[in-house]
Amino acid sequence: MGLVFGLLWLFNIFLEGIHCQGVYAPPTVRIIHSGHACNIEEERYTERVYTIREGETLELACLVSGHPRPQIRWTKTAGSASDRFQDSSVFNETLRIIRIQRHQGGRYYCKAENGLGSPAIKSIRVDVYYLDDPIVTVHQSIGEAKEQFYYERTVFLRCMANSNPPVRYSWRRGKEFLSQGSDKGVEIYEPFFTQGETKILKLKNLRPQDYANYSCIASVRNVCGIPEKNVLFKLSNKTASPTIKLLVEDPIVVNPGQSVTLVCVTSGGEPTPTLTWVRNTDELSKKSRLNGGTLTLPSISMEEAGVYSCVASNNVGNPAKKSTAIVVRGLKKGRFWITPDPYHNDDNIQIGREVKISCQVEATPPEELLFSWLKNGRPLRSSERMVITHTDPDVQPGTTNLDIIDLKFTDFGTYTCVAALKNGGIPEVSIDVNISSTTVPPELTVPRGKSPMVVQEGDTVDLQCLVSGKPKPIILWSRADKEVPMPDGSLQTESYDGVLRIVNVSREMTGTYRCATSQYNGFNVKPREALVELTVQYPPVVEPVFTEIRQGLGRAFTLNCRVLRAHPSKVLKYEWKLGTRLLTMGQFDQRDETDYHVRALNREGYGEYTCEVTNEAGAGACRFLVTGRAYAPEFYYDTYSALWQNRPRVYGFKLQWTQQNPLSVDRIVAYRLGMKQTGQSRWWEQEIPMEGAIAKGELITHNLTELIKPEAYLVRLTPITRFGEGDSTDRIIRYSAPVNSHLREFQCSFEDEAVCMFTQDKTDDFDWTRHSAATRDTKYTPNTGPSSDRAGSKQGFYMYIETSRPRLEGEKARLLTPTFNVAHKSPYGTVTAAPTYCFGFYYHMYGKHIGALNAYLRQKGHSGSDSSLWNLVGNQGDRWKQAKVNIHPIASFQLVLEGIRGPGIEGDIAIDDVTIEEGECKDPPPNSKLGQKFTYTKLTVPLNSLENSRK
């Protein structure tokens, strides 16, 4: 009689082409990790937490079941903000982050979905541990400062370090550890509002012995192997906060292109302060050069102007800061406008009336700005009829006005506004304004035929407004709806010739555009406006653009093509074609879709069907590929005991699959099976004939034999119909050590991350943990738990319960084996006598707070009535011991291993090398220490719980 877990199959029968039903299942998921999780005393979360040291590699695996094979996606949520890590989600089973950083901690979600039921989601919180170097800052009590900063006053030494978990601080003076109360002149405390973030050492009324070397030691208690870190500060009667001097003028006024050097020197401070430069609290320009306290700005530009600050710090008192402003001289943005006589309701310039010319320039520094006026190239002075005024230099931009009172014919001419800076060095800015009988305000018109404009999508279009008048102003283009941006994304676009060119016009650009005159470089009058309509035509947008339809011969089907939008939307025509052959044509009436019906598909009916819909702007097409190709098979990944071996050098594999949409096309007559060793190029092929039609959800099995250990194989499966070959699907088969060569026993040493398909009981209080001695933190609870696995390897893995806080006395953790089926010898699937198996395992129960370890038998159909097999209580010493017990199941069953937390943290219980063997236990281990509750049980299950487990 043999035992397997998962789907039952009998090894003495060569199974070819077995069909099973009901294998489609929604996804299930669980998360496992490789590496180690650090255990810390302060951990008080009941959620699953994976703790890792910063800089190490995080590797999480998402184990899924379900058919079809679920698609897996990893996402992350950190704190209160949701974000995608590494700029994208990860769509595979393993999430791997090399050299993880602190900001990458957070909650990671594994989501599996296969279209059946709701997606399965599991999460795990990743806690990244780190400890930065501590920093000591020194301060004197307020109001007691003197030139000698620490001569006879109270001093505060503050120590801070960034860490996770919270850091613990300790102070040392020389080699002497300081604690609260150890010295009346010393007080150690944490400010209430920063509790846990810093530790302050207060030296009251400084004494001679207080001048010493002080060390702050920051520690996270060696969790994750993070060592403690310390910083040394020497306190003396010379200790002082920094003072600095700037050896430069303030402000510094320079011309563009000059080089500027700023020099900052320390004038005091112990320890020696460090000097840095900042600009307007921002970073310095890339071309700047910094050498100690000297900052050089070569070939300075106007964009580099600003306030530059030298900052000195030595962690004593407050940093010293001194600043200077760099002013880069320059002129820019010159413009003008003409204002007609404001006392007359007329925008024209007329003899005998007033006219004002305004000129505006931005100057740096503004107080150096100088304006002058010329008429026809000759200097012009202010007079009763020619009044020249300037705005306040502090008001930017600087403006000058020329008021011509009682305009005369002799006043016509060219007036020039000249802007310059005192002391020169900067090119002048000149603006010419012509005043004559031809100087008239602007008018805007749209040329005939230029509105509305009708263009095709993708064309280049010029929208045009004609502007008359002298001088011609700048034209401002915008959308009539001012909230809608222009094609370049701005709300307004300038044009000097009245033309707005739009390249590669799109349908979203349809609408009304406004052109308007600007008051600058023209008349300061009410803006003139005009509107231009733009209509963009585009070909029909249809759906589906492409779809594949799989059909068997002789069947009827309908193709549908729908118009989503088009402009113009009227006079739409359609043509249906198969390849290049015209099938039918017509014109849309009130409907926005057209159908083509195939009453009985023949071989000539396979191919690409096209429905082309046209309007004036072009055509859109729906395409349908009609084929008889069978869909791809779907490999079944949840087969239990799929791999076996009955000879030393070869192994076999039970390959199972279902057929996707088997009834959509003609009957599948065979499968082509291709195989090759991974990394090789040679394929082996064979055909697997199929008898009869395959039903949806039918599980097909084919045994692969003579596979060479330990090679992996690429397997490709292709369905074949009378149409020909269908879609293929691939999978990799990898060799792994089987349960045993004769399939008469089950054994698990927990070396695999999948832990032999063991699962955690969902109704217990906490979980068992997979661990190895090489990665376990023994400094936390050194007097409990194993120092190696059962075989004596520190690299080997075992399962154990961690009894540190927040675990409480009496809390239980249950670990469940896979479900095992009993293989029946009777051809009728009945059991005439309860079979016997030997259940064995090794346990390690060392520590003064050990609770209890129990074993139970759980059978299908016996809900809530687990049968006790074995139990043990108390400390058994620092060594592995074996337990064995006979079991007699008559239905599908599981074994349950239950660990119970004792009264304290030194109560870790571990198990390893779990076995289930056919037959009675041989050489059961003897009872050991007095006080153990050890039971060697022979359990008989009542026959009324008989289960027929024949598949």
Side-chain angles (χ1 to χ4, degrees), residues 670-700:
Y671 284 94
R672 176 167 289 111
L673 175 66
M675 288 181 55
K676 71 169 185 174
Q677 289 185 14
T678 55
Q680 302 294 324
S681 58
R682 183 182 175 187
W683 285 86
W684 291 270
E685 290 188 346
Q686 73 173 100
E687 280 197 3
I688 306 172
M690 293 288 110
E691 298 294 336
I694 299 174
K696 183 176 178 61
E698 201 169 339
L699 190 65
I700 305 168

PDB file of all heavy atoms in Angstrom, residues 670-700:
ATOM      1  N   ALA A 670      -4.975  15.298 -31.710  1.00  0.00           N
ATOM      2  CA  ALA A 670      -3.705  14.877 -31.120  1.00  0.00           C
ATOM      3  C   ALA A 670      -2.994  16.107 -30.569  1.00  0.00           C
ATOM      4  O   ALA A 670      -3.376  17.254 -30.847  1.00  0.00           O
ATOM      5  CB  ALA A 670      -2.824  14.165 -32.154  1.00  0.00           C
ATOM      6  N   TYR A 671      -1.953  15.847 -29.780  1.00  0.00           N
ATOM      7  CA  TYR A 671      -1.030  16.893 -29.321  1.00  0.00           C
ATOM      8  C   TYR A 671       0.376  16.529 -29.793  1.00  0.00           C
ATOM      9  O   TYR A 671       0.771  15.349 -29.759  1.00  0.00           O
ATOM     10  CB  TYR A 671      -1.033  17.003 -27.796  1.00  0.00           C
ATOM     11  CG  TYR A 671      -2.249  17.698 -27.235  1.00  0.00           C
ATOM     12  CD1 TYR A 671      -3.355  16.955 -26.826  1.00  0.00           C
ATOM     13  CD2 TYR A 671      -2.297  19.083 -27.111  1.00  0.00           C
ATOM     14  CE1 TYR A 671      -4.473  17.579 -26.303  1.00  0.00           C
ATOM     15  CE2 TYR A 671      -3.404  19.715 -26.588  1.00  0.00           C
ATOM     16  CZ  TYR A 671      -4.496  18.965 -26.196  1.00  0.00           C
ATOM     17  OH  TYR A 671      -5.595  19.600 -25.690  1.00  0.00           O
ATOM     18  N   ARG A 672       1.116  17.523 -30.247  1.00  0.00           N
ATOM     19  CA  ARG A 672       2.524  17.318 -30.554  1.00  0.00           C
ATOM     20  C   ARG A 672       3.327  17.721 -29.330  1.00  0.00           C
ATOM     21  O   ARG A 672       3.263  18.863 -28.885  1.00  0.00           O
ATOM     22  CB  ARG A 672       2.950  18.123 -31.771  1.00  0.00           C
ATOM     23  CG  ARG A 672       4.449  17.990 -32.056  1.00  0.00           C
ATOM     24  CD  ARG A 672       4.848  18.516 -33.411  1.00  0.00           C
ATOM     25  NE  ARG A 672       4.358  17.649 -34.470  1.00  0.00           N
ATOM     26  CZ  ARG A 672       3.403  17.979 -35.340  1.00  0.00           C
ATOM     27  NH1 ARG A 672       2.853  19.175 -35.270  1.00  0.00           N
ATOM     28  NH2 ARG A 672       2.982  17.142 -36.262  1.00  0.00           N
ATOM     29  N   LEU A 673       4.055  16.775 -28.792  1.00  0.00           N
ATOM     30  CA  LEU A 673       4.862  17.006 -27.604  1.00  0.00           C
ATOM     31  C   LEU A 673       6.314  17.162 -28.032  1.00  0.00           C
ATOM     32  O   LEU A 673       6.891  16.258 -28.641  1.00  0.00           O
ATOM     33  CB  LEU A 673       4.725  15.841 -26.620  1.00  0.00           C
ATOM     34  CG  LEU A 673       5.615  15.895 -25.374  1.00  0.00           C
ATOM     35  CD1 LEU A 673       5.211  17.053 -24.489  1.00  0.00           C
ATOM     36  CD2 LEU A 673       5.537  14.576 -24.611  1.00  0.00           C
ATOM     37  N   GLY A 674       6.902  18.314 -27.729  1.00  0.00           N
ATOM     38  CA  GLY A 674       8.311  18.548 -28.012  1.00  0.00           C
ATOM     39  C   GLY A 674       9.079  18.726 -26.717  1.00  0.00           C
ATOM     40  O   GLY A 674       8.574  19.324 -25.761  1.00  0.00           O
ATOM     41  N   MET A 675      10.296  18.193 -26.676  1.00  0.00           N
ATOM     42  CA  MET A 675      11.110  18.286 -25.466  1.00  0.00           C
ATOM     43  C   MET A 675      12.562  18.513 -25.849  1.00  0.00           C
ATOM     44  O   MET A 675      13.043  18.020 -26.866  1.00  0.00           O
ATOM     45  CB  MET A 675      11.030  17.002 -24.634  1.00  0.00           C
ATOM     46  CG  MET A 675       9.718  16.771 -23.932  1.00  0.00           C
ATOM     47  SD  MET A 675       9.778  15.246 -22.975  1.00  0.00           S
ATOM     48  CE  MET A 675      11.213  15.534 -21.972  1.00  0.00           C
ATOM     49  N   LYS A 676      13.251  19.270 -25.015  1.00  0.00           N
ATOM     50  CA  LYS A 676      14.699  19.406 -25.152  1.00  0.00           C
ATOM     51  C   LYS A 676      15.286  19.766 -23.795  1.00  0.00           C
ATOM     52  O   LYS A 676      14.625  20.367 -22.939  1.00  0.00           O
ATOM     53  CB  LYS A 676      15.070  20.459 -26.192  1.00  0.00           C
ATOM     54  CG  LYS A 676      14.802  21.892 -25.771  1.00  0.00           C
ATOM     55  CD  LYS A 676      15.447  22.862 -26.747  1.00  0.00           C
ATOM     56  CE  LYS A 676      15.297  24.299 -26.260  1.00  0.00           C
ATOM     57  NZ  LYS A 676      16.034  25.250 -27.118  1.00  0.00           N
ATOM     58  N   GLN A 677      16.528  19.395 -23.600  1.00  0.00           N
ATOM     59  CA  GLN A 677      17.209  19.823 -22.385  1.00  0.00           C
ATOM     60  C   GLN A 677      17.462  21.323 -22.460  1.00  0.00           C
ATOM     61  O   GLN A 677      17.802  21.849 -23.522  1.00  0.00           O
ATOM     62  CB  GLN A 677      18.547  19.086 -22.230  1.00  0.00           C
ATOM     63  CG  GLN A 677      18.403  17.620 -21.882  1.00  0.00           C
ATOM     64  CD  GLN A 677      19.742  16.969 -21.626  1.00  0.00           C
ATOM     65  OE1 GLN A 677      20.746  17.640 -21.461  1.00  0.00           O
ATOM     66  NE2 GLN A 677      19.752  15.634 -21.589  1.00  0.00           N
ATOM     67  N   THR A 678      17.287  21.994 -21.343  1.00  0.00           N
ATOM     68  CA  THR A 678      17.528  23.441 -21.334  1.00  0.00           C
ATOM     69  C   THR A 678      18.993  23.713 -21.663  1.00  0.00           C
ATOM     70  O   THR A 678      19.892  23.026 -21.197  1.00  0.00           O
ATOM     71  CB  THR A 678      17.187  24.043 -19.955  1.00  0.00           C
ATOM     72  OG1 THR A 678      17.925  23.358 -18.946  1.00  0.00           O
ATOM     73  CG2 THR A 678      15.705  23.918 -19.666  1.00  0.00           C
ATOM     74  N   GLY A 679      19.201  24.698 -22.497  1.00  0.00           N
ATOM     75  CA  GLY A 679      20.555  25.034 -22.927  1.00  0.00           C
ATOM     76  C   GLY A 679      21.004  24.269 -24.153  1.00  0.00           C
ATOM     77  O   GLY A 679      22.063  24.563 -24.710  1.00  0.00           O
ATOM     78  N   GLN A 680      20.209  23.272 -24.601  1.00  0.00           N
ATOM     79  CA  GLN A 680      20.524  22.512 -25.809  1.00  0.00           C
ATOM     80  C   GLN A 680      19.628  22.966 -26.949  1.00  0.00           C
ATOM     81  O   GLN A 680      18.608  23.628 -26.745  1.00  0.00           O
ATOM     82  CB  GLN A 680      20.332  20.999 -25.555  1.00  0.00           C
ATOM     83  CG  GLN A 680      21.174  20.461 -24.407  1.00  0.00           C
ATOM     84  CD  GLN A 680      22.658  20.515 -24.711  1.00  0.00           C
ATOM     85  OE1 GLN A 680      23.082  20.298 -25.847  1.00  0.00           O
ATOM     86  NE2 GLN A 680      23.452  20.809 -23.688  1.00  0.00           N
ATOM     87  N   SER A 681      19.982  22.591 -28.168  1.00  0.00           N
ATOM     88  CA  SER A 681      19.200  23.007 -29.339  1.00  0.00           C
ATOM     89  C   SER A 681      18.393  21.863 -29.936  1.00  0.00           C
ATOM     90  O   SER A 681      17.477  22.102 -30.736  1.00  0.00           O
ATOM     91  CB  SER A 681      20.142  23.588 -30.412  1.00  0.00           C
ATOM     92  OG  SER A 681      21.123  22.630 -30.787  1.00  0.00           O
ATOM     93  N   ARG A 682      18.695  20.636 -29.599  1.00  0.00           N
ATOM     94  CA  ARG A 682      18.034  19.485 -30.225  1.00  0.00           C
ATOM     95  C   ARG A 682      16.702  19.195 -29.549  1.00  0.00           C
ATOM     96  O   ARG A 682      16.610  19.121 -28.322  1.00  0.00           O
ATOM     97  CB  ARG A 682      18.941  18.255 -30.139  1.00  0.00           C
ATOM     98  CG  ARG A 682      18.356  17.034 -30.823  1.00  0.00           C
ATOM     99  CD  ARG A 682      19.281  15.843 -30.655  1.00  0.00           C
ATOM    100  NE  ARG A 682      18.692  14.623 -31.206  1.00  0.00           N
ATOM    101  CZ  ARG A 682      19.200  13.416 -31.087  1.00  0.00           C
ATOM    102  NH1 ARG A 682      20.345  13.264 -30.423  1.00  0.00           N
ATOM    103  NH2 ARG A 682      18.610  12.366 -31.610  1.00  0.00           N
ATOM    104  N   TRP A 683      15.663  19.008 -30.362  1.00  0.00           N
ATOM    105  CA  TRP A 683      14.322  18.704 -29.870  1.00  0.00           C
ATOM    106  C   TRP A 683      13.989  17.237 -30.138  1.00  0.00           C
ATOM    107  O   TRP A 683      14.391  16.673 -31.157  1.00  0.00           O
ATOM    108  CB  TRP A 683      13.275  19.580 -30.570  1.00  0.00           C
ATOM    109  CG  TRP A 683      13.240  20.999 -30.105  1.00  0.00           C
ATOM    110  CD1 TRP A 683      14.006  22.016 -30.556  1.00  0.00           C
ATOM    111  CD2 TRP A 683      12.386  21.556 -29.110  1.00  0.00           C
ATOM    112  NE1 TRP A 683      13.703  23.185 -29.904  1.00  0.00           N
ATOM    113  CE2 TRP A 683      12.699  22.935 -29.007  1.00  0.00           C
ATOM    114  CE3 TRP A 683      11.383  21.042 -28.290  1.00  0.00           C
ATOM    115  CZ2 TRP A 683      12.046  23.787 -28.131  1.00  0.00           C
ATOM    116  CZ3 TRP A 683      10.726  21.889 -27.412  1.00  0.00           C
ATOM    117  CH2 TRP A 683      11.067  23.239 -27.328  1.00  0.00           C
ATOM    118  N   TRP A 684      13.240  16.624 -29.229  1.00  0.00           N
ATOM    119  CA  TRP A 684      12.594  15.335 -29.461  1.00  0.00           C
ATOM    120  C   TRP A 684      11.103  15.593 -29.549  1.00  0.00           C
ATOM    121  O   TRP A 684      10.535  16.368 -28.775  1.00  0.00           O
ATOM    122  CB  TRP A 684      12.867  14.369 -28.316  1.00  0.00           C
ATOM    123  CG  TRP A 684      14.282  13.899 -28.217  1.00  0.00           C
ATOM    124  CD1 TRP A 684      14.838  12.812 -28.811  1.00  0.00           C
ATOM    125  CD2 TRP A 684      15.321  14.528 -27.460  1.00  0.00           C
ATOM    126  NE1 TRP A 684      16.168  12.711 -28.481  1.00  0.00           N
ATOM    127  CE2 TRP A 684      16.495  13.761 -27.645  1.00  0.00           C
ATOM    128  CE3 TRP A 684      15.391  15.655 -26.663  1.00  0.00           C
ATOM    129  CZ2 TRP A 684      17.705  14.065 -27.065  1.00  0.00           C
ATOM    130  CZ3 TRP A 684      16.591  15.974 -26.074  1.00  0.00           C
ATOM    131  CH2 TRP A 684      17.739  15.186 -26.284  1.00  0.00           C
ATOM    132  N   GLU A 685      10.427  14.932 -30.502  1.00  0.00           N
ATOM    133  CA  GLU A 685       8.999  15.153 -30.691  1.00  0.00           C
ATOM    134  C   GLU A 685       8.257  13.821 -30.785  1.00  0.00           C
ATOM    135  O   GLU A 685       8.797  12.824 -31.273  1.00  0.00           O
ATOM    136  CB  GLU A 685       8.723  15.982 -31.949  1.00  0.00           C
ATOM    137  CG  GLU A 685       9.158  17.433 -31.846  1.00  0.00           C
ATOM    138  CD  GLU A 685       8.694  18.257 -33.039  1.00  0.00           C
ATOM    139  OE1 GLU A 685       8.282  17.645 -34.048  1.00  0.00           O
ATOM    140  OE2 GLU A 685       8.716  19.507 -32.951  1.00  0.00           O
ATOM    141  N   GLN A 686       7.005  13.847 -30.326  1.00  0.00           N
ATOM    142  CA  GLN A 686       6.111  12.711 -30.498  1.00  0.00           C
ATOM    143  C   GLN A 686       4.685  13.232 -30.491  1.00  0.00           C
ATOM    144  O   GLN A 686       4.413  14.335 -30.018  1.00  0.00           O
ATOM    145  CB  GLN A 686       6.309  11.678 -29.386  1.00  0.00           C
ATOM    146  CG  GLN A 686       5.748  12.103 -28.032  1.00  0.00           C
ATOM    147  CD  GLN A 686       5.794  11.009 -26.997  1.00  0.00           C
ATOM    148  OE1 GLN A 686       6.671  10.987 -26.161  1.00  0.00           O
ATOM    149  NE2 GLN A 686       4.837  10.102 -27.054  1.00  0.00           N
ATOM    150  N   GLU A 687       3.774  12.442 -31.047  1.00  0.00           N
ATOM    151  CA  GLU A 687       2.366  12.811 -31.048  1.00  0.00           C
ATOM    152  C   GLU A 687       1.622  11.997 -30.013  1.00  0.00           C
ATOM    153  O   GLU A 687       1.870  10.797 -29.842  1.00  0.00           O
ATOM    154  CB  GLU A 687       1.751  12.597 -32.428  1.00  0.00           C
ATOM    155  CG  GLU A 687       2.053  13.703 -33.408  1.00  0.00           C
ATOM    156  CD  GLU A 687       1.110  13.693 -34.609  1.00  0.00           C
ATOM    157  OE1 GLU A 687       0.184  12.846 -34.638  1.00  0.00           O
ATOM    158  OE2 GLU A 687       1.309  14.530 -35.510  1.00  0.00           O
ATOM    159  N   ILE A 688       0.707  12.687 -29.304  1.00  0.00           N
ATOM    160  CA  ILE A 688      -0.138  12.025 -28.312  1.00  0.00           C
ATOM    161  C   ILE A 688      -1.562  12.034 -28.862  1.00  0.00           C
ATOM    162  O   ILE A 688      -2.212  13.097 -28.917  1.00  0.00           O
ATOM    163  CB  ILE A 688      -0.084  12.760 -26.959  1.00  0.00           C
ATOM    164  CG1 ILE A 688       1.368  12.910 -26.489  1.00  0.00           C
ATOM    165  CG2 ILE A 688      -0.932  12.041 -25.927  1.00  0.00           C
ATOM    166  CD1 ILE A 688       1.514  13.793 -25.264  1.00  0.00           C
ATOM    167  N   PRO A 689      -2.080  10.909 -29.377  1.00  0.00           N
ATOM    168  CA  PRO A 689      -3.433  10.900 -29.967  1.00  0.00           C
ATOM    169  C   PRO A 689      -4.500  11.102 -28.903  1.00  0.00           C
ATOM    170  O   PRO A 689      -4.344  10.694 -27.753  1.00  0.00           O
ATOM    171  CB  PRO A 689      -3.523   9.519 -30.614  1.00  0.00           C
ATOM    172  CG  PRO A 689      -2.547   8.674 -29.849  1.00  0.00           C
ATOM    173  CD  PRO A 689      -1.438   9.582 -29.426  1.00  0.00           C
ATOM    174  N   MET A 690      -5.594  11.754 -29.284  1.00  0.00           N
ATOM    175  CA  MET A 690      -6.729  11.995 -28.402  1.00  0.00           C
ATOM    176  C   MET A 690      -7.949  11.264 -28.950  1.00  0.00           C
ATOM    177  O   MET A 690      -8.285  11.406 -30.138  1.00  0.00           O
ATOM    178  CB  MET A 690      -7.034  13.490 -28.306  1.00  0.00           C
ATOM    179  CG  MET A 690      -5.978  14.326 -27.615  1.00  0.00           C
ATOM    180  SD  MET A 690      -5.926  14.064 -25.825  1.00  0.00           S
ATOM    181  CE  MET A 690      -4.376  13.197 -25.682  1.00  0.00           C
ATOM    182  N   GLU A 691      -8.593  10.507 -28.100  1.00  0.00           N
ATOM    183  CA  GLU A 691      -9.807   9.789 -28.491  1.00  0.00           C
ATOM    184  C   GLU A 691     -11.012  10.561 -27.989  1.00  0.00           C
ATOM    185  O   GLU A 691     -11.116  10.850 -26.809  1.00  0.00           O
ATOM    186  CB  GLU A 691      -9.797   8.375 -27.897  1.00  0.00           C
ATOM    187  CG  GLU A 691      -8.646   7.499 -28.368  1.00  0.00           C
ATOM    188  CD  GLU A 691      -8.730   7.189 -29.858  1.00  0.00           C
ATOM    189  OE1 GLU A 691      -9.854   7.238 -30.405  1.00  0.00           O
ATOM    190  OE2 GLU A 691      -7.678   6.915 -30.458  1.00  0.00           O
ATOM    191  N   GLY A 692     -11.901  10.934 -28.895  1.00  0.00           N
ATOM    192  CA  GLY A 692     -13.110  11.632 -28.508  1.00  0.00           C
ATOM    193  C   GLY A 692     -12.859  13.108 -28.258  1.00  0.00           C
ATOM    194  O   GLY A 692     -11.722  13.596 -28.296  1.00  0.00           O
ATOM    195  N   ALA A 693     -13.954  13.822 -28.012  1.00  0.00           N
ATOM    196  CA  ALA A 693     -13.860  15.270 -27.806  1.00  0.00           C
ATOM    197  C   ALA A 693     -13.356  15.567 -26.400  1.00  0.00           C
ATOM    198  O   ALA A 693     -13.650  14.832 -25.450  1.00  0.00           O
ATOM    199  CB  ALA A 693     -15.214  15.921 -28.036  1.00  0.00           C
ATOM    200  N   ILE A 694     -12.619  16.654 -26.273  1.00  0.00           N
ATOM    201  CA  ILE A 694     -12.112  17.094 -24.978  1.00  0.00           C
ATOM    202  C   ILE A 694     -13.094  18.113 -24.406  1.00  0.00           C
ATOM    203  O   ILE A 694     -13.470  19.085 -25.083  1.00  0.00           O
ATOM    204  CB  ILE A 694     -10.723  17.713 -25.132  1.00  0.00           C
ATOM    205  CG1 ILE A 694      -9.742  16.681 -25.681  1.00  0.00           C
ATOM    206  CG2 ILE A 694     -10.227  18.266 -23.799  1.00  0.00           C
ATOM    207  CD1 ILE A 694      -8.374  17.259 -26.004  1.00  0.00           C
ATOM    208  N   ALA A 695     -13.494  17.921 -23.174  1.00  0.00           N
ATOM    209  CA  ALA A 695     -14.429  18.840 -22.517  1.00  0.00           C
ATOM    210  C   ALA A 695     -13.650  19.974 -21.854  1.00  0.00           C
ATOM    211  O   ALA A 695     -12.476  19.832 -21.507  1.00  0.00           O
ATOM    212  CB  ALA A 695     -15.265  18.090 -21.481  1.00  0.00           C
ATOM    213  N   LYS A 696     -14.325  21.097 -21.665  1.00  0.00           N
ATOM    214  CA  LYS A 696     -13.700  22.225 -20.971  1.00  0.00           C
ATOM    215  C   LYS A 696     -13.441  21.844 -19.522  1.00  0.00           C
ATOM    216  O   LYS A 696     -14.313  21.308 -18.839  1.00  0.00           O
ATOM    217  CB  LYS A 696     -14.605  23.451 -21.035  1.00  0.00           C
ATOM    218  CG  LYS A 696     -13.998  24.690 -20.404  1.00  0.00           C
ATOM    219  CD  LYS A 696     -14.886  25.901 -20.588  1.00  0.00           C
ATOM    220  CE  LYS A 696     -14.300  27.129 -19.911  1.00  0.00           C
ATOM    221  NZ  LYS A 696     -12.987  27.515 -20.448  1.00  0.00           N
ATOM    222  N   GLY A 697     -12.224  22.071 -19.054  1.00  0.00           N
ATOM    223  CA  GLY A 697     -11.858  21.736 -17.688  1.00  0.00           C
ATOM    224  C   GLY A 697     -11.377  20.317 -17.510  1.00  0.00           C
ATOM    225  O   GLY A 697     -11.051  19.899 -16.391  1.00  0.00           O
ATOM    226  N   GLU A 698     -11.303  19.552 -18.603  1.00  0.00           N
ATOM    227  CA  GLU A 698     -10.867  18.162 -18.512  1.00  0.00           C
ATOM    228  C   GLU A 698      -9.351  18.124 -18.339  1.00  0.00           C
ATOM    229  O   GLU A 698      -8.610  18.769 -19.087  1.00  0.00           O
ATOM    230  CB  GLU A 698     -11.276  17.430 -19.777  1.00  0.00           C
ATOM    231  CG  GLU A 698     -11.340  15.940 -19.632  1.00  0.00           C
ATOM    232  CD  GLU A 698     -12.010  15.291 -20.845  1.00  0.00           C
ATOM    233  OE1 GLU A 698     -12.749  15.980 -21.566  1.00  0.00           O
ATOM    234  OE2 GLU A 698     -11.766  14.107 -21.051  1.00  0.00           O
ATOM    235  N   LEU A 699      -8.893  17.372 -17.349  1.00  0.00           N
ATOM    236  CA  LEU A 699      -7.474  17.284 -17.062  1.00  0.00           C
ATOM    237  C   LEU A 699      -6.873  16.109 -17.824  1.00  0.00           C
ATOM    238  O   LEU A 699      -7.349  14.981 -17.730  1.00  0.00           O
ATOM    239  CB  LEU A 699      -7.239  17.117 -15.565  1.00  0.00           C
ATOM    240  CG  LEU A 699      -5.794  17.240 -15.093  1.00  0.00           C
ATOM    241  CD1 LEU A 699      -5.274  18.642 -15.338  1.00  0.00           C
ATOM    242  CD2 LEU A 699      -5.679  16.879 -13.619  1.00  0.00           C
ATOM    243  N   ILE A 700      -5.840  16.384 -18.601  1.00  0.00           N
ATOM    244  CA  ILE A 700      -5.192  15.369 -19.429  1.00  0.00           C
ATOM    245  C   ILE A 700      -3.816  15.098 -18.832  1.00  0.00           C
ATOM    246  O   ILE A 700      -3.101  16.035 -18.454  1.00  0.00           O
ATOM    247  CB  ILE A 700      -5.069  15.860 -20.882  1.00  0.00           C
ATOM    248  CG1 ILE A 700      -6.449  16.272 -21.412  1.00  0.00           C
ATOM    249  CG2 ILE A 700      -4.433  14.798 -21.760  1.00  0.00           C
ATOM    250  CD1 ILE A 700      -6.393  17.036 -22.709  1.00  0.00           C
TER     251      ILE A 700
END
